Amino acid sequence: MQAETYIPRRLDDQWKLGFWDVDVAAPILFCFFVGYMSGSKASFAVCLGVGIFLSRWLSRTKADKHPAFAMHWIYWRLPPNPLTAMRVTPPSHLRRMVG
């Protein structure tokens, strides 16, 4: 009963959309949607250009940082509300470490 068991090594990988991480692809997809809903080709091109610029900026910003850098940045910079509040971690205004 010697069966080879597969042990996954990458349980905590970032979600992917094709070759891109979801947090890098989200600005392009959002701006693509906004440009499509605007109804003109010029505004579609402008929105798509803004989306590409934002995703390039985000990918360069998080290049040498933790893989969940975008989520950490959102937690510390955006105001807490039911969508961004995490129950396990303390509120972002409590910045003194205990211990």
Side-chain angles (χ1 to χ4, degrees):
M1 302 207 35
Q2 294 285 339
E4 289 189 29
T5 58
Y6 173 72
I7 300 173
R9 291 182 286 161
R10 299 179 181 185
L11 291 176
D12 296 330
D13 276 354
Q14 292 280 67
W15 288 10
K16 300 278 186 187
L17 188 64
F19 293 112
W20 301 285
D21 293 338
V22 169
D23 55 353
V24 173
I28 292 177
L29 293 175
F30 178 73
C31 290
F32 181 83
F33 177 72
V34 169
Y36 179 74
M37 294 302 287
S38 67
S40 75
K41 292 179 184 178
S43 62
F44 177 75
V46 168
C47 288
L48 199 57
V50 168
I52 291 171
F53 171 77
L54 287 175
S55 68
R56 296 274 307 195
W57 174 78
L58 183 62
S59 67
R60 288 182 184 186
T61 301
K62 70 175 233 168
D64 293 330
K65 295 179 176 61
H66 189 271
F69 168 75
M71 187 161 180
H72 295 170
W73 186 88
I74 287 171
Y75 174 74
W76 287 106
R77 300 289 189 240
L78 293 181
N81 62 35
L83 296 176
T84 61
M86 297 180 195
R87 289 175 173 60
V88 178
T89 57
S92 63
H93 66 276
L94 298 176
R95 297 185 183 207
R96 179 174 290 181
M97 297 297 289
V98 178

